[in-house]
Amino acid sequence: MVTHIKPIEWLDGRVRWLNTLKLPWDEEYVESSDYERLARAIETMEIRGAPAIGVAAAFGVALAAANYEGNNITDFKLVLLRVIERFSKTRPTAVNLFWALDRMKRVVQSNYHSTEELRESVVAEALKIYEEDIRVNKVIGEVGSKLINDGDTILTHCNAGALATAGYGTALSVVREAWYSGKKIKVIATETRPMLQGARLTVWELMKEGIPVTLISDSMVGYVMSKGLVSKVFVGADRILSSGHVVNKIGTYTIAVLAHHHNVPFYAVAPTSTIDPVSKLSDVVIEERNPDEVRRILGKLLITVPDVDVMNPAFDITPPHLVSGIVTEKGIATQPYDKTIPELLK
Ligand code: MRU
């Protein structure tokens, strides 16, 4: 599998990331040693996608550790715990953020006696989270590509590609693996209003590698399915409950309902770090973002009356009966998820 897209990297005390808000017009890389700058990059969605947010938050804690100048271990730990707290406030829905921060917290709270030792361990843990994500995504691609036949047309929503992870992607890793193993497939990407991750990011990623992609607006999904133009749906996920409920980009639920109606298999693809074995449905916080994301196109062109009331939930929840399978690095879970997901996590 080939991809040269490096959405985020650790550069020895600095972090470098691709500002996805500027894509597809500019390939702008940002470099900073300031953890607060990185936290804002998550909030504004310069960095987005569940696994990428987790990696970025871990790197943020590593930045604070690498650049700490004191030598009192108790103060150092308090500073790092405050930084972890800051990152936990950036975006509420993707569980990978909290999963990565929990790992960082465990290191911070371990029994270190020197700032030097703790600094090294914090940076090492962040790098481990980054490297694991790349490795896991490659495996997910191999596992999921078995579901794809030569000649399939895959519909995907939002961007579950390299740009949403440390590399390769989840749903798009499956697509990449199928493509590079010689299957002649095509992709239909939904534009994904309001932030246009499909139109801007999925299209950019796939065209860069010559994987055939056709863009549709979100409102065209029913039509293309009714015409028999979609073989399978593969989407990413921000949080998967042990009941099999899939929390993902707003619009996913609509696609799943349509896929069910048209007998099109619907797969969610995610690392096991996206599975939340603890939360109940009522615990899930759906992020409500700035209304101007809906009133304007990417903060610019106003497309409605300026003070109209707006709803802007960033995610929705697809119930398990609409999900044909959940593809992870540990295998594919199928219904009944309340049995197969815990089995997969063992
Ligand atoms: O708001 P975003 O762009 O962070 O939402 C991203 C998604 O919903 C993705 O589908 C999900 O994070 C999976 S990414 C591999």
Side-chain angles (χ1 to χ4, degrees):
M1 226 196 304
V2 201
T3 185
H4 302 294
I5 303 168
K6 279 206 170 172
I8 186 160
E9 268 181 291
W10 175 257
L11 300 175
D12 210 13
R14 299 179 72 72
V15 174
R16 181 176 194 256
W17 66 92
L18 183 53
N19 178 358
T20 66
L21 287 176
K22 294 281 174 78
L23 286 171
W25 309 281
D26 290 319
E27 247 175 85
E28 179 194 271
Y29 285 89
V30 183
E31 234 182 88
S32 181
S33 56
D34 175 8
Y35 76 83
E36 181 53 34
R37 176 68 186 85
L38 194 52
R40 282 201 307 274
I42 297 175
E43 285 165 347
T44 58
M45 293 174 66
E46 287 180 21
I47 302 167
R48 36 66 56 198
I53 295 172
V55 170
F59 278 168
V61 182
L63 278 182
N67 298 307
Y68 184 74
E69 284 173 357
N71 51 21
N72 180 306
I73 185 77
T74 313
D75 291 349
F76 189 27
K77 284 186 177 189
L78 285 175
V79 166
L80 294 180
L81 291 174
R82 269 205 301 274
V83 173
I84 290 171
E85 183 63 15
R86 166 68 183 104
F87 275 95
S88 75
K89 299 280 186 293
T90 50
R91 293 192 75 187
T93 307
V95 78
N96 308 62
L97 174 76
F98 305 98
W99 169 86
L101 289 174
D102 276 351
R103 278 182 62 165
M104 299 307 288
K105 197 180 208 168
R106 251 176 274 141
V107 174
V108 173
Q109 288 176 330
S110 308
N111 209 9
Y112 288 103
H113 297 291
S114 81
T115 51
E116 204 39 57
E117 259 181 353
L118 177 56
R119 188 190 336 272
E120 271 175 31
S121 298
V122 166
V123 173
E125 185 68 4
L127 281 168
K128 210 164 142 207
I129 289 172
Y130 168 83
E131 280 151 15
E132 268 174 34
D133 189 56
I134 296 179
R135 204 168 49 241
V136 159
N137 291 340
K138 285 191 200 168
V139 178
I140 285 178
E142 285 159 20
V143 173
S145 69
K146 296 188 182 76
L147 297 167
I148 297 187
N149 297 324
D150 197 19
D152 273 355
T153 298
I154 308 301
L155 185 138
T156 191
H157 186 55
C158 192
N159 172 266
L163 294 167
T165 62
Y168 294 96
T170 56
L172 292 192
S173 178
V174 172
V175 165
R176 282 197 164 90
E177 180 61 31
W179 175 256
Y180 288 114
S181 66
K183 292 177 187 165
K184 296 275 172 287
I185 56 168
K186 289 183 193 144
V187 176
I188 293 179
T190 50
E191 65 174 350
T192 320
R193 277 279 290 150
M195 292 301 284
L196 305 174
Q197 292 95 328
R200 296 185 302 105
L201 310 180
T202 297
V203 165
W204 179 81
E205 255 195 74
L206 294 177
M207 288 189 71
K208 210 174 164 66
E209 288 176 45
I211 302 175
V213 56
T214 301
L215 176 66
I216 61 170
S217 70
D218 301 328
S219 50
M220 294 171 192
V221 174
Y223 176 79
V224 296
M225 284 190 184
S226 74
K227 289 287 169 190
L229 300 177
V230 180
S231 321
K232 279 147 201 160
V233 175
F234 283 84
V235 295
D238 286 79
R239 190 182 287 248
I240 297 173
L241 305 186
S242 50
S243 53
H245 286 86
V246 174
V247 185
N248 192 46
K249 179 51 52 194
I250 192 77
T252 304
Y253 170 57
T254 319
I255 295 172
V257 171
L258 285 165
H260 194 251
H261 183 76
H262 293 286
N263 280 323
V264 174
F266 175 98
Y267 297 103
V269 187
T272 47
S273 54
T274 302
I275 297 177
D276 173 357
V278 185
S279 299
K280 295 189 296 294
L281 198 51
S282 54
D283 299 330
V284 176
V285 178
I286 298 291
E287 180 182 11
E288 184 72 29
R289 291 187 61 87
N290 188 331
D292 275 340
E293 288 181 355
V294 176
R295 292 187 190 116
R296 294 174 179 274
I297 301 287
L298 300 177
K300 296 193 180 81
L301 182 66
L302 181 66
I303 54 163
T304 185
V305 180
D307 55 356
V308 64
D309 272 350
V310 159
M311 281 196 262
N312 189 15
F315 301 96
D316 60 25
I317 304 176
T318 299
H321 73 276
L322 300 179
V323 182
S324 314
I326 296 173
V327 180
T328 73
E329 78 280 14
K330 295 196 176 166
I332 303 170
T334 49
Q335 294 170 23
Y337 293 110
D338 52 354
K339 302 244 163 8
T340 55
I341 291 178
E343 205 47 50
L344 201 76
L345 293 180
K346 264 188 196 158

